[in-house]
Amino acid sequence: MATHLSRPAQPGSNRGGSSPETLVVSYRRLAEVFHLVLSEETLDTLLDRIADTLAELVPYDSLHIYEADLARRELVPVLARSEWEKEIMRTRPPFGHGITGWAVANSQPVLANKAHLDPRVAFVPGTPAEPEALISVPLVARGALKGALNIYRLGEAARFHEDELELAKWLADAAALAIDNAQVRARLEYQAQTDSLTGLYNHRTFHERLRAELARANRVRDSVALVMLDIDDFKRVNDICGHAVGDGILVALAETLSSLVRASDIVCRTGGEELAVIMPSCGCGDALGLARRLQEKLGASPVDGVGEITVSIGIAAGPEHATNPRELAACAEMAMMTAKARGKSQVVIFDEEAVERPQAPDPARDVRSIAHLKLLQNLVNTLSRLSSVREIAAAIVTELRGLIDYHSCRVYLVEGHELVPVAVKGDVATDEEHLASLRVEVGKGLTGYVAATGSSLLVANALECEHALQIPGTEPVDESVIAVPFRFGSRVSGVVFLSKLGVSQFDENDLRLLEVLAGYASVALENARLYEAAKREAENAKAWLEFLDAVSATSSVEETEEEIVRRIAVLARARRCSLWLEDPLQPIYRRVAQAGEAAPSGWPETVPKLVAEAMLESRPAPFFLDDETRRELYGKGEGREVVGPLPPAPGVRGWIAVGDPVDSCEACLRLLEGLAHRASTALREALLRRDQEQSLHVANALLDFARALSRAERSQVAQRIVEQAGQTLAAEVTSLWLQERSDEDLAPIAAWHRDSASRGRVLELRYPPSLAKPFARRSAPFVLRFQDCARIPGAVELAEGRDLAVCPFSFADGRTGFLVAGVTPPAGFDPLSLKMLAGLADQAKLALASAR
């Protein structure tokens, strides 16, 4: 059924347009519909009346009305009068798809009397693709899209008229207004019942729903569980982090809780940081399961700048604990306060014999918190004025001493799969070698665990922690540790690590303070990273321009290759740089240029094509070479190397390898990405220049060759061909082979060799058509290595230890010929020689045809 939408269900017919005499009746019916729309009737009733009226004014076989879901950009069916109602109501046509999707996306009604032939048509899954006529009208009210109205007539002769389209548009306005009114009423009802910040039901609705559910439970002898929860230390979060962060925590908690409950459960915000869940037909055990799931979810989702959020939870059940809604709420609240008194982050089920209240705050603790708050504010102000990552990290490790007494402090940043120390303070060495030893992979050790999970750690004794790793060169000692992630959004950008000799030297207050600091510091570090990235981009742009200018000034492909590696080695501050390119004649990639230190002993000059292309296809952007890939490429597994694949271009395929770069991972990868693009462009331009020069050289050589053949007697043409070909190619031997007829053997008709005896042996060779045919099918010259000649009878005598370049050609009558040249390795044949051979063979064919 056609689309967006569907296909009708009832028998089709071809109806004519409305006559002028019926217009008064039509307008009267329209007025009645608009009068109904302004009433308080339900949306379903109104849409049914609109569909009935439309059937009287514009008879149809099928009708669909859709409501627009603007967030998902799709249409949701709300009414379908069709044989295929179930199929239609299951669809969700996206905007822009099908005729209806096009109509709503372009805000234009559509009259399609051959809808099944319209190129925009789409059919509803499960419905037949039958001939039909369609009117599709977008529903618009108050300037906003509300949905779409579709009416169909079936059959080859089915059609609608323009006046029927006008009537459909009037009724579509009524349908749009009805949907809009229903949405406004629903929105007002929702606002009256819900909390504006979290979207949960508000305090008034909580008591109404609790009263109703408790009454139902009493009436049918059922139960209802009530869960009340309060965010621990929420006032401190507001005081230290601000109310905006506090509001964000409330919203996140509301979303988390809503994702864990059943559809029948009622989640409410009953106070500032207090939430409640009414669970119909549930007991305390069900409520306890929900509480545990909530705690696990919160523990796995720390909040940026705050850390892990905990809640104290109280549970009561009616009518077991109370039959009155206010009493049941008081029981759950009392259990919640008992959870706070027992240390917070607890779940307590109401029990009349175990009711505790939280103790009054410790004045000394409050004084310490105020002092910390002042110092923290000063540190935050300091961080906000810095724009360098290393300066911010240094400020953190220096100023943090005034907040928390520590033995050692380190600030790490995540770079790729590693945590790199950027600031270290305390009783540890700070030389380059020691700092390198502090690097750690994400996921390994205490610091790596924090970076991988995004969770803070408070460790009483690192010796007893399962995640701890011993730093090489240090002795095992009792040591307390705090490690807190720098989180920016959902990403961990680094870790701050504190240690102090002794057991249990840090407490929860130290952890919370460091988490708050990490929240502010993560923003400062991210801003500094963005600033440094922008600065680095500007520096890279300048470096890329200078690089392109330098390599563009070279005069040959070889000079371009050498300049590429020399410049990149300097720009990347690397010990060495090499360029690897595909060999056009062999299935290998070859190291064509090297700068800086020599390659490690034993490293190959070539890499098999299959191995190289497997790497290039799987990693199109620059990357750090891992040990496994390095062994596959080079047969070695040591060293630190960055690989920058060259963007493929005609004649250019390969990579740049940068060994032991000084810059950080991210900086080196970004720089090399730009350089690889420009290197590929420079190589392509150099190859084009060389091709132009070679083409000119080939053209001149072929002209000389043609002149020499034109001066030869007919009987001497073949011999002149091989002699001139040998001189032009600087070959040691040449021969010309031809079939007299297409079914005869291939035989040499001329050969050139310094040794007459060798020339005579060549002239005695013969090859049957079956042996020559596979070689004749090739469209371009090819090279037979001397070691491959042993597989061809007589080829050993022909080659005499040389590589043979062979160019096939054929005549219109089906005869085959070959022009063959040989040179002794390692001289070999390059692409220019093969291009020249192809031109010579073509000229030879023309000369032979003329001579005959």
Side-chain angles (χ1 to χ4, degrees), residues 15-331:
R15 300 172 174 86
S18 301
S19 65
E21 293 79 7
T22 64
L23 290 179
V24 174
V25 175
S26 299
Y27 290 141
R28 183 179 295 117
R29 298 292 289 121
L30 287 170
E32 292 173 359
V33 169
F34 276 96
H35 177 75
L36 287 170
V37 168
L38 298 176
S39 68
E40 294 296 324
E41 293 196 42
T42 65
L43 178 62
D44 291 343
T45 302
L46 288 173
L47 294 181
D48 277 329
R49 295 293 293 272
I50 290 170
D52 292 340
T53 303
L54 189 57
E56 296 174 17
L57 300 180
V58 186
Y60 55 77
D61 293 323
S62 182
L63 173 143
H64 314 152
I65 297 178
Y66 297 87
E67 185 173 354
D69 185 337
L70 298 179
R72 292 184 172 86
R73 290 187 59 79
E74 63 184 20
L75 296 169
V76 180
V78 292
L79 177 65
R81 292 191 175 182
S82 169
E83 176 185 349
W84 309 101
E85 178 182 355
K86 291 182 180 179
E87 288 77 7
I88 295 163
M89 297 301 287
R90 284 198 295 263
T91 62
R92 293 293 185 272
F95 292 4
H97 182 61
I99 296 176
T100 308
W102 185 93
V104 299
N106 293 274
S107 301
Q108 294 183 27
V110 175
L111 192 163
N113 281 325
K114 294 291 184 181
H116 56 292
L117 302 179
D118 194 297
R120 297 167 297 184
V121 74
F123 294 91
V124 172
T127 64
E130 298 175 341
E132 63 187 1
L134 163 66
I135 287 178
S136 181
V137 184
L139 304 182
V140 179
R142 306 178 203 274
L145 178 68
K146 299 298 176 182
L149 168 68
N150 281 16
I151 54 176
Y152 299 85
R153 286 176 181 164
L154 296 179
E156 288 285 355
R159 61 183 290 103
F160 288 101
H161 295 276
E162 290 293 336
D163 58 335
E164 292 178 312
L165 173 62
E166 292 302 316
L167 286 171
K169 287 160 65 176
W170 278 98
L171 284 163
D173 289 341
L177 189 57
I179 292 175
D180 183 65
N181 288 343
Q183 290 174 343
V184 170
R185 285 196 296 270
R187 188 161 56 249
L188 291 175
E189 291 175 3
Y190 176 79
Q191 290 173 352
Q193 295 177 350
T194 57
D195 168 56
S196 60
L197 175 64
T198 62
L200 301 179
Y201 288 114
N202 56 24
H203 185 268
R204 187 190 73 177
T205 308
F206 165 71
H207 285 287
E208 291 174 353
R209 298 296 297 271
L210 182 59
R211 181 182 297 106
E213 288 300 331
L214 196 53
R216 181 198 60 80
N218 286 326
R219 185 173 63 255
V220 300
R221 299 181 181 277
D222 198 359
S223 61
V224 57
L226 177 61
V227 179
M228 297 194 75
L229 55 100
D230 183 272
I231 302 175
D232 296 329
D233 299 319
F234 191 67
K235 183 178 183 302
R236 293 184 63 207
V237 173
N238 278 333
D239 290 343
I240 295 176
C241 302
H243 288 277
V245 175
D247 288 347
I249 291 172
L250 281 169
V251 172
L253 177 59
E255 292 174 350
T256 300
L257 187 56
S258 298
S259 69
L260 297 175
V261 300
R262 304 170 303 168
S264 58
D265 295 337
I266 303 120
V267 186
C268 310
R269 182 185 179 190
T270 57
E273 65 267 27
E274 293 184 4
L275 278 65
V277 184
I278 304 169
M279 303 178 67
S281 302
C282 288
C284 290
D286 301 308
L288 183 61
L290 171 63
R292 297 300 187 203
R293 293 195 299 275
L294 176 61
Q295 286 185 319
E296 290 176 4
K297 193 75 176 285
L298 292 177
S301 306
V303 176
D304 295 337
V306 178
E308 183 179 344
I309 297 298
T310 63
V311 292
S312 296
I313 302 176
I315 297 173
E320 177 185 349
H321 296 135
T323 57
N324 178 284
R326 293 197 176 275
E327 291 179 359
L328 184 60
C331 292

Side-chain angles (χ1 to χ4, degrees), residues 399-470:
E399 300 296 332
L400 197 54
R401 178 81 79 175
L403 294 169
I404 304 174
D405 183 30
Y406 62 74
H407 166 71
S408 174
C409 178
R410 306 170 207 153
V411 172
Y412 291 86
L413 291 184
V414 176
E415 291 187 359
H417 298 290
E418 271 192 322
L419 282 160
V420 179
V422 292
V424 176
K425 192 173 182 65
D427 298 336
V428 292
T430 57
D431 57 273
E432 288 294 330
E433 183 178 352
H434 184 74
L435 288 179
S437 71
L438 295 178
R439 285 176 175 259
V440 62
E441 290 185 32
V442 173
K444 293 186 177 181
L446 288 169
T447 316
Y449 173 82
V450 171
T453 63
S455 301
S456 302
L457 278 181
L458 174 60
V459 179
N461 190 352
L463 288 179
E464 299 174 357
C465 179
E466 59 179 326
H467 305 297
L469 289 178
Q470 191 72 29

Side-chain angles (χ1 to χ4, degrees), residues 572-787:
R573 296 190 292 171
R575 290 185 180 179
R576 61 185 174 277
C577 178
S578 57
L579 175 63
W580 298 72
L581 295 177
E582 182 181 13
D583 190 309
L585 301 178
Q586 302 181 63
I588 59 173
Y589 278 68
R590 187 182 302 279
R591 187 170 63 200
V592 297
Q594 170 98 22
E597 296 180 0
S601 176
W603 282 49
E605 294 287 335
T606 62
V607 171
K609 185 175 182 178
L610 290 177
V611 174
E613 293 192 343
M615 176 194 72
L616 294 174
E617 290 171 3
S618 63
R619 311 284 284 275
F623 61 94
F624 270 84
L625 199 62
D626 58 77
D627 290 345
E628 181 180 352
T629 308
R630 184 184 293 107
R631 282 191 290 269
E632 291 176 355
L633 282 177
Y634 309 130
K636 301 285 183 178
E638 301 174 354
R640 184 168 175 262
E641 186 167 276
V642 184
V643 171
L646 296 172
V652 178
R653 188 167 174 81
W655 68 91
I656 299 166
V658 178
D660 296 325
V662 173
D663 289 337
S664 64
C665 303
E666 184 179 348
C668 185
L669 294 177
R670 184 72 187 93
L671 174 66
L672 189 56
E673 183 176 18
L675 292 175
H677 276 272
R678 285 151 182 84
S680 180
T681 301
L683 285 169
R684 177 58 186 156
E685 291 176 353
L687 287 170
L688 286 174
R689 289 196 304 270
R690 185 175 71 181
D691 287 345
Q692 291 171 354
E693 294 170 357
Q694 290 179 350
S695 296
L696 180 60
H697 174 67
V698 170
N700 291 332
L702 293 179
L703 183 60
D704 293 340
F705 183 75
R707 288 172 179 165
L709 295 185
S710 66
R711 293 193 294 267
E713 297 291 336
R714 287 190 176 186
S715 60
Q716 296 298 316
V717 166
Q719 189 61 32
R720 183 62 62 86
I721 287 173
V722 295
E723 291 174 358
Q724 288 295 126
Q727 294 176 18
T728 303
L729 296 171
E732 298 166 3
V733 295
T734 54
S735 55
L736 183 63
W737 300 69
L738 196 67
Q739 286 178 306
E740 287 299 327
R741 289 197 301 272
S742 60
D743 58 349
E744 288 189 349
D745 288 349
L746 182 72
I749 61 173
W752 177 79
H753 197 294
R754 294 186 180 90
D755 180 20
S756 59
S758 297
R759 185 168 61 252
R761 285 194 296 273
V762 170
L763 293 173
E764 294 175 357
L765 293 173
R766 296 288 187 278
Y767 291 107
S770 59
L771 184 61
K773 188 176 295 184
F775 296 101
R777 289 177 183 153
R778 300 199 184 188
S779 59
F782 58 92
V783 176
L784 275 176
R785 303 295 173 190
F786 70 91
Q787 60 265 35

Side-chain angles (χ1 to χ4, degrees), residues 523-570:
V523 176
L525 286 168
E526 189 66 21
N527 290 337
R529 274 187 161 184
L530 291 174
Y531 171 77
E532 291 182 354
K535 182 179 178 182
R536 189 163 53 247
E537 286 295 321
E539 293 172 349
N540 284 349
K542 181 181 178 182
W544 294 334
L545 184 59
E546 293 175 350
F547 171 82
L548 194 55
D549 287 343
V551 297
S552 298
T554 55
S555 58
S556 69
V557 174
E558 293 72 21
E559 284 186 23
T560 301
E561 294 168 348
E562 293 295 334
E563 187 67 14
I564 284 172
V565 294
R566 189 181 70 80
R567 287 277 176 171
I568 292 179
V570 173

